[in-house]
mmCIF file with all atom_site columns, all heavy atoms in Angstrom:
data_model
loop_
_atom_site.group_PDB
_atom_site.id
_atom_site.type_symbol
_atom_site.label_atom_id
_atom_site.label_alt_id
_atom_site.label_comp_id
_atom_site.label_asym_id
_atom_site.label_entity_id
_atom_site.label_seq_id
_atom_site.pdbx_PDB_ins_code
_atom_site.Cartn_x
_atom_site.Cartn_y
_atom_site.Cartn_z
_atom_site.occupancy
_atom_site.B_iso_or_equiv
_atom_site.pdbx_formal_charge
_atom_site.auth_seq_id
_atom_site.auth_comp_id
_atom_site.auth_asym_id
_atom_site.auth_atom_id
_atom_site.pdbx_PDB_model_num
ATOM 1   N N   . ASN A 1 141 ? 35.287 -71.217  56.284 1.00 45.00 ? 160 ASN A N   1
ATOM 2   C CA  . ASN A 1 141 ? 34.428 -71.969  57.289 1.00 45.00 ? 160 ASN A CA  1
ATOM 3   C C   . ASN A 1 141 ? 33.635 -73.001  56.631 1.00 45.00 ? 160 ASN A C   1
ATOM 4   O O   . ASN A 1 141 ? 33.435 -74.160  57.118 1.00 45.00 ? 160 ASN A O   1
ATOM 5   C CB  . ASN A 1 141 ? 33.497 -70.983  58.056 1.00 45.00 ? 160 ASN A CB  1
ATOM 6   C CG  . ASN A 1 141 ? 34.324 -70.184  59.082 1.00 45.00 ? 160 ASN A CG  1
ATOM 7   O OD1 . ASN A 1 141 ? 35.374 -70.503  59.441 1.00 45.00 ? 160 ASN A OD1 1
ATOM 8   N ND2 . ASN A 1 141 ? 33.722 -69.017  59.452 1.00 45.00 ? 160 ASN A ND2 1
ATOM 9   N N   . THR A 1 142 ? 32.982 -72.608  55.435 1.00 40.00 ? 161 THR A N   1
ATOM 10  C CA  . THR A 1 142 ? 32.163 -73.597  54.626 1.00 40.00 ? 161 THR A CA  1
ATOM 11  C C   . THR A 1 142 ? 33.070 -74.770  54.169 1.00 40.00 ? 161 THR A C   1
ATOM 12  O O   . THR A 1 142 ? 32.717 -75.983  54.345 1.00 40.00 ? 161 THR A O   1
ATOM 13  C CB  . THR A 1 142 ? 31.602 -72.923  53.458 1.00 40.00 ? 161 THR A CB  1
ATOM 14  O OG1 . THR A 1 142 ? 30.843 -71.807  53.903 1.00 40.00 ? 161 THR A OG1 1
ATOM 15  C CG2 . THR A 1 142 ? 30.676 -73.857  52.697 1.00 40.00 ? 161 THR A CG2 1
ATOM 16  N N   . SER A 1 143 ? 34.174 -74.573  53.674 1.00 43.00 ? 162 SER A N   1
ATOM 17  C CA  . SER A 1 143 ? 35.096 -75.508  53.235 1.00 43.00 ? 162 SER A CA  1
ATOM 18  C C   . SER A 1 143 ? 35.550 -76.449  54.410 1.00 43.00 ? 162 SER A C   1
ATOM 19  O O   . SER A 1 143 ? 35.518 -77.715  54.298 1.00 43.00 ? 162 SER A O   1
ATOM 20  C CB  . SER A 1 143 ? 36.395 -74.979  52.552 1.00 43.00 ? 162 SER A CB  1
ATOM 21  O OG  . SER A 1 143 ? 37.327 -75.957  52.237 1.00 43.00 ? 162 SER A OG  1
ATOM 22  N N   . ASN A 1 144 ? 35.783 -75.809  55.515 1.00 45.00 ? 163 ASN A N   1
ATOM 23  C CA  . ASN A 1 144 ? 36.236 -76.713  56.711 1.00 45.00 ? 163 ASN A CA  1
ATOM 24  C C   . ASN A 1 144 ? 35.002 -77.538  57.141 1.00 45.00 ? 163 ASN A C   1
ATOM 25  O O   . ASN A 1 144 ? 35.237 -78.779  57.505 1.00 45.00 ? 163 ASN A O   1
ATOM 26  C CB  . ASN A 1 144 ? 36.630 -75.835  57.855 1.00 45.00 ? 163 ASN A CB  1
ATOM 27  C CG  . ASN A 1 144 ? 38.012 -75.200  57.543 1.00 45.00 ? 163 ASN A CG  1
ATOM 28  O OD1 . ASN A 1 144 ? 38.795 -75.631  56.708 1.00 45.00 ? 163 ASN A OD1 1
ATOM 29  N ND2 . ASN A 1 144 ? 38.312 -74.018  58.163 1.00 45.00 ? 163 ASN A ND2 1
ATOM 30  N N   . ILE A 1 145 ? 33.820 -76.948  57.222 1.00 37.00 ? 164 ILE A N   1
ATOM 31  C CA  . ILE A 1 145 ? 32.643 -77.740  57.619 1.00 37.00 ? 164 ILE A CA  1
ATOM 32  C C   . ILE A 1 145 ? 32.421 -78.837  56.732 1.00 37.00 ? 164 ILE A C   1
ATOM 33  O O   . ILE A 1 145 ? 32.077 -79.989  57.122 1.00 37.00 ? 164 ILE A O   1
ATOM 34  C CB  . ILE A 1 145 ? 31.365 -76.752  57.755 1.00 37.00 ? 164 ILE A CB  1
ATOM 35  C CG1 . ILE A 1 145 ? 31.591 -75.765  58.898 1.00 37.00 ? 164 ILE A CG1 1
ATOM 36  C CG2 . ILE A 1 145 ? 30.193 -77.624  57.876 1.00 37.00 ? 164 ILE A CG2 1
ATOM 37  C CD1 . ILE A 1 145 ? 30.516 -74.717  58.947 1.00 37.00 ? 164 ILE A CD1 1
ATOM 38  N N   . LEU A 1 146 ? 32.463 -78.688  55.433 1.00 40.00 ? 165 LEU A N   1
ATOM 39  C CA  . LEU A 1 146 ? 32.318 -79.756  54.422 1.00 40.00 ? 165 LEU A CA  1
ATOM 40  C C   . LEU A 1 146 ? 33.261 -80.862  54.661 1.00 40.00 ? 165 LEU A C   1
ATOM 41  O O   . LEU A 1 146 ? 32.968 -82.026  54.610 1.00 40.00 ? 165 LEU A O   1
ATOM 42  C CB  . LEU A 1 146 ? 32.333 -79.172  52.971 1.00 40.00 ? 165 LEU A CB  1
ATOM 43  C CG  . LEU A 1 146 ? 31.122 -78.300  52.555 1.00 40.00 ? 165 LEU A CG  1
ATOM 44  C CD1 . LEU A 1 146 ? 31.461 -77.676  51.232 1.00 40.00 ? 165 LEU A CD1 1
ATOM 45  C CD2 . LEU A 1 146 ? 29.876 -79.100  52.560 1.00 40.00 ? 165 LEU A CD2 1
ATOM 46  N N   . GLN A 1 147 ? 34.539 -80.471  54.749 1.00 44.00 ? 166 GLN A N   1
ATOM 47  C CA  . GLN A 1 147 ? 35.518 -81.396  54.956 1.00 44.00 ? 166 GLN A CA  1
ATOM 48  C C   . GLN A 1 147 ? 35.429 -82.190  56.224 1.00 44.00 ? 166 GLN A C   1
ATOM 49  O O   . GLN A 1 147 ? 35.547 -83.431  56.245 1.00 44.00 ? 166 GLN A O   1
ATOM 50  C CB  . GLN A 1 147 ? 37.069 -80.770  54.875 1.00 44.00 ? 166 GLN A CB  1
ATOM 51  C CG  . GLN A 1 147 ? 37.435 -80.248  53.622 1.00 44.00 ? 166 GLN A CG  1
ATOM 52  C CD  . GLN A 1 147 ? 38.695 -79.651  53.604 1.00 44.00 ? 166 GLN A CD  1
ATOM 53  O OE1 . GLN A 1 147 ? 39.471 -79.697  54.628 1.00 44.00 ? 166 GLN A OE1 1
ATOM 54  N NE2 . GLN A 1 147 ? 39.147 -79.206  52.495 1.00 44.00 ? 166 GLN A NE2 1
ATOM 55  N N   . ILE A 1 148 ? 34.964 -81.532  57.277 1.00 40.00 ? 167 ILE A N   1
ATOM 56  C CA  . ILE A 1 148 ? 34.830 -82.262  58.603 1.00 40.00 ? 167 ILE A CA  1
ATOM 57  C C   . ILE A 1 148 ? 33.570 -83.245  58.478 1.00 40.00 ? 167 ILE A C   1
ATOM 58  O O   . ILE A 1 148 ? 33.647 -84.347  58.858 1.00 40.00 ? 167 ILE A O   1
ATOM 59  C CB  . ILE A 1 148 ? 34.464 -81.220  59.666 1.00 40.00 ? 167 ILE A CB  1
ATOM 60  C CG1 . ILE A 1 148 ? 35.752 -80.449  59.956 1.00 40.00 ? 167 ILE A CG1 1
ATOM 61  C CG2 . ILE A 1 148 ? 33.963 -81.940  60.963 1.00 40.00 ? 167 ILE A CG2 1
ATOM 62  C CD1 . ILE A 1 148 ? 35.521 -79.305  61.005 1.00 40.00 ? 167 ILE A CD1 1
ATOM 63  N N   . ASP A 1 149 ? 32.487 -82.776  57.783 1.00 41.00 ? 168 ASP A N   1
ATOM 64  C CA  . ASP A 1 149 ? 31.328 -83.682  57.546 1.00 41.00 ? 168 ASP A CA  1
ATOM 65  C C   . ASP A 1 149 ? 31.714 -84.800  56.816 1.00 41.00 ? 168 ASP A C   1
ATOM 66  O O   . ASP A 1 149 ? 31.302 -85.929  57.062 1.00 41.00 ? 168 ASP A O   1
ATOM 67  C CB  . ASP A 1 149 ? 30.122 -82.827  56.947 1.00 41.00 ? 168 ASP A CB  1
ATOM 68  C CG  . ASP A 1 149 ? 29.502 -81.792  57.907 1.00 41.00 ? 168 ASP A CG  1
ATOM 69  O OD1 . ASP A 1 149 ? 29.839 -81.938  59.122 1.00 41.00 ? 168 ASP A OD1 1
ATOM 70  O OD2 . ASP A 1 149 ? 28.790 -80.929  57.421 1.00 41.00 ? 168 ASP A OD2 1
ATOM 71  N N   . GLN A 1 150 ? 32.383 -84.615  55.685 1.00 43.00 ? 169 GLN A N   1
ATOM 72  C CA  . GLN A 1 150 ? 32.822 -85.722  54.818 1.00 43.00 ? 169 GLN A CA  1
ATOM 73  C C   . GLN A 1 150 ? 33.688 -86.667  55.530 1.00 43.00 ? 169 GLN A C   1
ATOM 74  O O   . GLN A 1 150 ? 33.553 -87.883  55.474 1.00 43.00 ? 169 GLN A O   1
ATOM 75  C CB  . GLN A 1 150 ? 33.447 -85.244  53.536 1.00 43.00 ? 169 GLN A CB  1
ATOM 76  C CG  . GLN A 1 150 ? 32.490 -84.429  52.589 1.00 43.00 ? 169 GLN A CG  1
ATOM 77  C CD  . GLN A 1 150 ? 33.303 -83.836  51.463 1.00 43.00 ? 169 GLN A CD  1
ATOM 78  O OE1 . GLN A 1 150 ? 34.489 -83.771  51.363 1.00 43.00 ? 169 GLN A OE1 1
ATOM 79  N NE2 . GLN A 1 150 ? 32.414 -83.184  50.578 1.00 43.00 ? 169 GLN A NE2 1
ATOM 80  N N   . SER A 1 151 ? 34.673 -86.208  56.271 1.00 45.00 ? 170 SER A N   1
ATOM 81  C CA  . SER A 1 151 ? 35.530 -87.018  56.987 1.00 45.00 ? 170 SER A CA  1
ATOM 82  C C   . SER A 1 151 ? 34.807 -87.794  58.109 1.00 45.00 ? 170 SER A C   1
ATOM 83  O O   . SER A 1 151 ? 35.050 -88.957  58.265 1.00 45.00 ? 170 SER A O   1
ATOM 84  C CB  . SER A 1 151 ? 36.670 -86.161  57.677 1.00 45.00 ? 170 SER A CB  1
ATOM 85  O OG  . SER A 1 151 ? 37.495 -86.934  58.532 1.00 45.00 ? 170 SER A OG  1
ATOM 86  N N   . SER A 1 152 ? 34.002 -87.113  58.714 1.00 44.00 ? 171 SER A N   1
ATOM 87  C CA  . SER A 1 152 ? 33.167 -87.793  59.785 1.00 44.00 ? 171 SER A CA  1
ATOM 88  C C   . SER A 1 152 ? 32.269 -88.894  59.219 1.00 44.00 ? 171 SER A C   1
ATOM 89  O O   . SER A 1 152 ? 32.201 -89.999  59.698 1.00 44.00 ? 171 SER A O   1
ATOM 90  C CB  . SER A 1 152 ? 32.214 -86.739  60.526 1.00 44.00 ? 171 SER A CB  1
ATOM 91  O OG  . SER A 1 152 ? 31.451 -87.448  61.472 1.00 44.00 ? 171 SER A OG  1
ATOM 92  N N   . HIS A 1 153 ? 31.655 -88.623  58.081 1.00 48.00 ? 172 HIS A N   1
ATOM 93  C CA  . HIS A 1 153 ? 30.783 -89.611  57.426 1.00 48.00 ? 172 HIS A CA  1
ATOM 94  C C   . HIS A 1 153 ? 31.652 -90.865  56.936 1.00 48.00 ? 172 HIS A C   1
ATOM 95  O O   . HIS A 1 153 ? 31.243 -91.934  57.086 1.00 48.00 ? 172 HIS A O   1
ATOM 96  C CB  . HIS A 1 153 ? 30.058 -88.903  56.181 1.00 48.00 ? 172 HIS A CB  1
ATOM 97  C CG  . HIS A 1 153 ? 29.129 -89.878  55.464 1.00 48.00 ? 172 HIS A CG  1
ATOM 98  N ND1 . HIS A 1 153 ? 28.099 -90.378  56.176 1.00 48.00 ? 172 HIS A ND1 1
ATOM 99  C CD2 . HIS A 1 153 ? 29.103 -90.211  54.241 1.00 48.00 ? 172 HIS A CD2 1
ATOM 100 C CE1 . HIS A 1 153 ? 27.376 -91.062  55.368 1.00 48.00 ? 172 HIS A CE1 1
ATOM 101 N NE2 . HIS A 1 153 ? 27.973 -90.993  54.194 1.00 48.00 ? 172 HIS A NE2 1
ATOM 102 N N   . PHE A 1 154 ? 32.873 -90.378  56.405 1.00 58.00 ? 173 PHE A N   1
ATOM 103 C CA  . PHE A 1 154 ? 33.719 -91.531  55.905 1.00 58.00 ? 173 PHE A CA  1
ATOM 104 C C   . PHE A 1 154 ? 34.172 -92.447  57.027 1.00 58.00 ? 173 PHE A C   1
ATOM 105 O O   . PHE A 1 154 ? 34.135 -93.645  57.007 1.00 58.00 ? 173 PHE A O   1
ATOM 106 C CB  . PHE A 1 154 ? 34.927 -90.871  55.279 1.00 58.00 ? 173 PHE A CB  1
ATOM 107 C CG  . PHE A 1 154 ? 35.922 -91.875  54.619 1.00 58.00 ? 173 PHE A CG  1
ATOM 108 C CD1 . PHE A 1 154 ? 35.797 -92.256  53.338 1.00 58.00 ? 173 PHE A CD1 1
ATOM 109 C CD2 . PHE A 1 154 ? 36.993 -92.302  55.452 1.00 58.00 ? 173 PHE A CD2 1
ATOM 110 C CE1 . PHE A 1 154 ? 36.674 -93.196  52.728 1.00 58.00 ? 173 PHE A CE1 1
ATOM 111 C CE2 . PHE A 1 154 ? 37.884 -93.190  54.791 1.00 58.00 ? 173 PHE A CE2 1
ATOM 112 C CZ  . PHE A 1 154 ? 37.654 -93.645  53.544 1.00 58.00 ? 173 PHE A CZ  1
ATOM 113 N N   . ASP A 1 155 ? 34.602 -91.748  58.188 1.00 69.00 ? 174 ASP A N   1
ATOM 114 C CA  . ASP A 1 155 ? 35.045 -92.566  59.281 1.00 69.00 ? 174 ASP A CA  1
ATOM 115 C C   . ASP A 1 155 ? 33.924 -93.398  59.884 1.00 69.00 ? 174 ASP A C   1
ATOM 116 O O   . ASP A 1 155 ? 34.199 -94.536  60.228 1.00 69.00 ? 174 ASP A O   1
ATOM 117 C CB  . ASP A 1 155 ? 35.485 -91.659  60.429 1.00 69.00 ? 174 ASP A CB  1
ATOM 118 C CG  . ASP A 1 155 ? 36.901 -90.912  60.093 1.00 69.00 ? 174 ASP A CG  1
ATOM 119 O OD1 . ASP A 1 155 ? 37.482 -91.432  59.143 1.00 69.00 ? 174 ASP A OD1 1
ATOM 120 O OD2 . ASP A 1 155 ? 37.109 -89.861  60.624 1.00 69.00 ? 174 ASP A OD2 1
ATOM 121 N N   . SER A 1 156 ? 32.671 -92.900  59.967 1.00 77.00 ? 175 SER A N   1
ATOM 122 C CA  . SER A 1 156 ? 31.652 -93.677  60.500 1.00 77.00 ? 175 SER A CA  1
ATOM 123 C C   . SER A 1 156 ? 31.273 -94.888  59.759 1.00 77.00 ? 175 SER A C   1
ATOM 124 O O   . SER A 1 156 ? 30.955 -95.972  60.236 1.00 77.00 ? 175 SER A O   1
ATOM 125 C CB  . SER A 1 156 ? 30.413 -92.731  60.747 1.00 77.00 ? 175 SER A CB  1
ATOM 126 O OG  . SER A 1 156 ? 29.880 -92.303  59.472 1.00 77.00 ? 175 SER A OG  1
ATOM 127 N N   . GLN A 1 157 ? 31.336 -94.724  58.346 1.00 81.00 ? 176 GLN A N   1
ATOM 128 C CA  . GLN A 1 157 ? 31.079 -95.857  57.562 1.00 81.00 ? 176 GLN A CA  1
ATOM 129 C C   . GLN A 1 157 ? 32.042 -96.952  57.619 1.00 81.00 ? 176 GLN A C   1
ATOM 130 O O   . GLN A 1 157 ? 31.732 -98.096  57.650 1.00 81.00 ? 176 GLN A O   1
ATOM 131 C CB  . GLN A 1 157 ? 30.942 -95.345  56.038 1.00 81.00 ? 176 GLN A CB  1
ATOM 132 C CG  . GLN A 1 157 ? 29.631 -94.625  55.863 1.00 81.00 ? 176 GLN A CG  1
ATOM 133 C CD  . GLN A 1 157 ? 29.480 -94.301  54.278 1.00 81.00 ? 176 GLN A CD  1
ATOM 134 O OE1 . GLN A 1 157 ? 30.433 -93.889  53.614 1.00 81.00 ? 176 GLN A OE1 1
ATOM 135 N NE2 . GLN A 1 157 ? 28.303 -94.393  53.882 1.00 81.00 ? 176 GLN A NE2 1
ATOM 136 N N   . TRP A 1 158 ? 33.337 -96.554  57.627 1.00 82.00 ? 177 TRP A N   1
ATOM 137 C CA  . TRP A 1 158 ? 34.376 -97.601  57.727 1.00 82.00 ? 177 TRP A CA  1
ATOM 138 C C   . TRP A 1 158 ? 34.425 -98.230  59.108 1.00 82.00 ? 177 TRP A C   1
ATOM 139 O O   . TRP A 1 158 ? 34.883 -99.377  59.358 1.00 82.00 ? 177 TRP A O   1
ATOM 140 C CB  . TRP A 1 158 ? 35.707 -97.063  57.325 1.00 82.00 ? 177 TRP A CB  1
ATOM 141 C CG  . TRP A 1 158 ? 35.612 -96.801  55.795 1.00 82.00 ? 177 TRP A CG  1
ATOM 142 C CD1 . TRP A 1 158 ? 35.773 -95.512  55.280 1.00 82.00 ? 177 TRP A CD1 1
ATOM 143 C CD2 . TRP A 1 158 ? 35.515 -97.686  54.802 1.00 82.00 ? 177 TRP A CD2 1
ATOM 144 N NE1 . TRP A 1 158 ? 35.633 -95.644  53.881 1.00 82.00 ? 177 TRP A NE1 1
ATOM 145 C CE2 . TRP A 1 158 ? 35.597 -96.992  53.510 1.00 82.00 ? 177 TRP A CE2 1
ATOM 146 C CE3 . TRP A 1 158 ? 35.386 -99.076  54.722 1.00 82.00 ? 177 TRP A CE3 1
ATOM 147 C CZ2 . TRP A 1 158 ? 35.396 -97.618  52.334 1.00 82.00 ? 177 TRP A CZ2 1
ATOM 148 C CZ3 . TRP A 1 158 ? 35.253 -99.687  53.509 1.00 82.00 ? 177 TRP A CZ3 1
ATOM 149 C CH2 . TRP A 1 158 ? 35.279 -98.977  52.335 1.00 82.00 ? 177 TRP A CH2 1
ATOM 150 N N   . THR A 1 159 ? 33.997 -97.474  60.144 1.00 86.00 ? 178 THR A N   1
ATOM 151 C CA  . THR A 1 159 ? 33.896 -98.014  61.478 1.00 86.00 ? 178 THR A CA  1
ATOM 152 C C   . THR A 1 159 ? 32.841 -99.015  61.459 1.00 86.00 ? 178 THR A C   1
ATOM 153 O O   . THR A 1 159 ? 32.880 -100.134 62.138 1.00 86.00 ? 178 THR A O   1
ATOM 154 C CB  . THR A 1 159 ? 33.603 -96.932  62.563 1.00 86.00 ? 178 THR A CB  1
ATOM 155 O OG1 . THR A 1 159 ? 34.695 -95.998  62.556 1.00 86.00 ? 178 THR A OG1 1
ATOM 156 C CG2 . THR A 1 159 ? 33.390 -97.489  63.987 1.00 86.00 ? 178 THR A CG2 1
ATOM 157 N N   . LEU A 1 160 ? 31.711 -98.762  60.872 1.00 88.00 ? 179 LEU A N   1
ATOM 158 C CA  . LEU A 1 160 ? 30.567 -99.703  60.740 1.00 88.00 ? 179 LEU A CA  1
ATOM 159 C C   . LEU A 1 160 ? 31.065 -100.974 60.010 1.00 88.00 ? 179 LEU A C   1
ATOM 160 O O   . LEU A 1 160 ? 30.681 -102.082 60.499 1.00 88.00 ? 179 LEU A O   1
ATOM 161 C CB  . LEU A 1 160 ? 29.423 -99.008  59.984 1.00 88.00 ? 179 LEU A CB  1
ATOM 162 C CG  . LEU A 1 160 ? 28.171 -99.894  59.614 1.00 88.00 ? 179 LEU A CG  1
ATOM 163 C CD1 . LEU A 1 160 ? 27.524 -100.384 60.955 1.00 88.00 ? 179 LEU A CD1 1
ATOM 164 C CD2 . LEU A 1 160 ? 27.193 -99.136  58.839 1.00 88.00 ? 179 LEU A CD2 1
ATOM 165 N N   . LEU A 1 161 ? 31.822 -100.846 58.969 1.00 90.00 ? 180 LEU A N   1
ATOM 166 C CA  . LEU A 1 161 ? 32.323 -101.929 58.209 1.00 90.00 ? 180 LEU A CA  1
ATOM 167 C C   . LEU A 1 161 ? 33.176 -102.785 59.185 1.00 90.00 ? 180 LEU A C   1
ATOM 168 O O   . LEU A 1 161 ? 33.067 -104.076 59.196 1.00 90.00 ? 180 LEU A O   1
ATOM 169 C CB  . LEU A 1 161 ? 33.053 -101.584 57.052 1.00 90.00 ? 180 LEU A CB  1
ATOM 170 C CG  . LEU A 1 161 ? 33.820 -102.694 56.261 1.00 90.00 ? 180 LEU A CG  1
ATOM 171 C CD1 . LEU A 1 161 ? 32.764 -103.626 55.674 1.00 90.00 ? 180 LEU A CD1 1
ATOM 172 C CD2 . LEU A 1 161 ? 34.572 -102.045 55.090 1.00 90.00 ? 180 LEU A CD2 1
ATOM 173 N N   . SER A 1 162 ? 34.036 -102.289 59.871 1.00 89.00 ? 181 SER A N   1
ATOM 174 C CA  . SER A 1 162 ? 34.929 -102.892 60.818 1.00 89.00 ? 181 SER A CA  1
ATOM 175 C C   . SER A 1 162 ? 34.076 -103.657 61.958 1.00 89.00 ? 181 SER A C   1
ATOM 176 O O   . SER A 1 162 ? 34.380 -104.789 62.258 1.00 89.00 ? 181 SER A O   1
ATOM 177 C CB  . SER A 1 162 ? 35.874 -101.970 61.502 1.00 89.00 ? 181 SER A CB  1
ATOM 178 O OG  . SER A 1 162 ? 36.714 -102.564 62.505 1.00 89.00 ? 181 SER A OG  1
#
Side-chain angles (χ1 to χ4, degrees):
N160 290 338
T161 303
S162 177
N163 291 337
I164 291 172
L165 288 174
Q166 290 183 1
I167 291 172
D168 288 345
Q169 291 173 354
S170 176
S171 176
H172 185 58
F173 184 89
D174 288 341
S175 64
Q176 286 190 317
W177 292 112
T178 298
L179 177 61
L180 175 61
S181 176

